[in-house]
Amino acid sequence: MTKRLVLMVGLLMSLLMASTSLVAAQAAPNVTKIGKAVEATDIPALIDGLAAPIATRDLPADFTDATTVDITSSKDVNAATCVYDASTLTLEGAAAYELEVDPEAGPFTKACASINYLVYTKKALGLDPLGDFKSGLLGSLDTEPGTPDANGGVATLEDTTVAGADAVLFTYTIENGSRAASVQILTVIVGNVIVLTQIQTQGDTVIDAGTLAPVSTGLMEAAITHLGEVADEAA
């Protein structure tokens, strides 16, 4: 699993090229319950259900207009702005929604976001998929977390939780003269699905990990809730 998920190298490159009031109140999902429902759902039915994008009403404030992207297609990934590249992964299926972000929502001139679902069999995920993901991510970095890389960017990696579930929070920030970019990816395992949210901002100043974290958490909670609803409908 580690080998399959060490795609973060390519992801970091895309982030370098791409690169608050976003949190809305919503009920925290029961990740354990949703995970069991997801595992019990027929995988093709789950993937078919995820093909329809999440509704704006189910997103946190300032996120709108979800558009489905086939992240198993390198062509579609390259045409998108900020989705996870699953085109070389061996998995059962995937779904992703690229989101619009209100430019008035934060101290940035441009931002985008996405929700990404990677669907595996439970066996293929292994015993510690989140740990495998974290190890792969650490192995993809040019320098230790917190140390500037050759481009002057700084990556941080934190263990955290979302609605009581273990999560990994990755943040990458870079400044180049008057331009700055911040990228944050939050990852949670829900049953046999790896859920990733990604937020990218560009502006005059870097938005730090602490500022983006509650935004990512709110978006992740919406993503997990949506996954649970799809699983219930597909049952």
Side-chain angles (χ1 to χ4, degrees), residues 47 50-53 66-89 91-98 114-118:
I47 295 169
L50 289 171
T67 302
T68 300
V69 178
D70 180 5
I71 55 174
T72 64
S73 163
S74 59
K75 179 181 178 181
D76 289 358
V77 169
N78 291 333
T81 304
C82 56
V83 294
Y84 188 86
D85 184 357
S87 61
T88 61
L89 290 178
L91 37 63
E92 297 300 310
Y97 317 133
E98 192 161 54
S114 65
I115 293 171
N116 306 267
Y117 302 101
L118 310 180

Side-chain angles (χ1 to χ4, degrees), residues 4 39 45 58-59 63 78 80 95 99 102 110 113 119-120 122 132 166 168-169 172 177 203 208 221 223:
R4 289 199 296 266
E39 289 179 13
D58 296 326
L59 291 167
F63 291 103
N78 291 333
L99 311 173
D102 185 347
K110 183 180 179 181
V119 184
Y120 292 86
K122 191 65 176 176
D132 290 341
D166 291 338
V168 170
L169 182 69
Y172 185 83
D208 61 35
E221 290 183 348

